[in-house]
Amino acid sequence: MIQNPYSPGLHKLVTLEVQKTEKLLSSEKFIAFSEKLILKFDLEKVGISQHNFDNNSFTIAICLKESHICIHTWPEFQQLTLDVYLCNYLQDNTAKVKAITNDYIAYFEAKILKDFEINR
């Protein structure tokens, strides 16, 4: 079997522990930070869908022309799950995916509990 060397993109999935619980409760601050990252990494936002729960935890999906960024927070467990996926359609975005994920880890001042990389 001949294998095509093209890789559609890197999908990074992390589970983080966050001591500053207030960061797990502020969907507005997360969106504002994400908007800065979208500009910093020259990405194109298609739309944002969000839901805030009764305990102020949130789930947000940011749809990008390049793919997506999604987060789900669990303040009662001091955790969040985050996934970042960018397609490699016009360029290799592997380094961007890793850098974006690292910027989110720094934003949350988080400890990494789980870290998965899927080359799609």
Side-chain angles (χ1 to χ4, degrees):
M1 176 201 289
I2 298 172
Q3 199 164 10
N4 185 339
Y6 173 71
S7 171
L10 178 66
H11 196 165
K12 195 98 165 110
L13 304 137
V14 293
T15 301
L16 305 176
E17 182 178 74
V18 179
Q19 295 302 314
K20 293 184 177 180
T21 308
E22 64 273 8
K23 290 191 174 188
L24 300 173
L25 302 172
S26 179
S27 60
E28 294 81 16
K29 287 182 182 177
F30 175 83
I31 290 171
F33 182 75
S34 297
E35 296 278 3
K36 290 177 186 174
L37 288 183
I38 289 166
L39 290 174
K40 176 181 175 180
F41 289 99
D42 195 31
L43 302 172
E44 188 175 328
K45 180 180 70 175
V46 175
I48 296 179
S49 183
Q50 80 177 83
H51 179 77
N52 293 304
F53 295 93
D54 291 339
N55 67 350
N56 292 320
S57 62
F58 57 88
T59 186
I60 296 173
I62 302 171
C63 188
L64 304 169
K65 181 178 86 173
E66 301 82 2
S67 200
H68 68 269
I69 298 168
C70 296
I71 186 171
H72 311 281
T73 67
W74 287 273
E76 65 273 26
F77 300 112
Q78 295 183 296
Q79 291 185 17
L80 67 87
T81 59
L82 174 75
D83 75 272
V84 179
Y85 177 55
L86 299 178
C87 298
N88 288 339
Y89 177 61
L90 297 176
Q91 65 186 11
D92 184 348
N93 284 315
T94 300
K96 278 187 184 182
V97 170
K98 291 178 180 186
I100 291 166
T101 303
N102 287 335
D103 281 359
Y104 279 120
I105 293 168
Y107 168 77
F108 284 104
E109 301 174 59
K111 174 184 169 187
I112 300 169
L113 299 177
K114 295 179 184 175
D115 186 351
F116 300 100
E117 290 187 356
I118 302 169
N119 288 299
R120 306 200 98 185

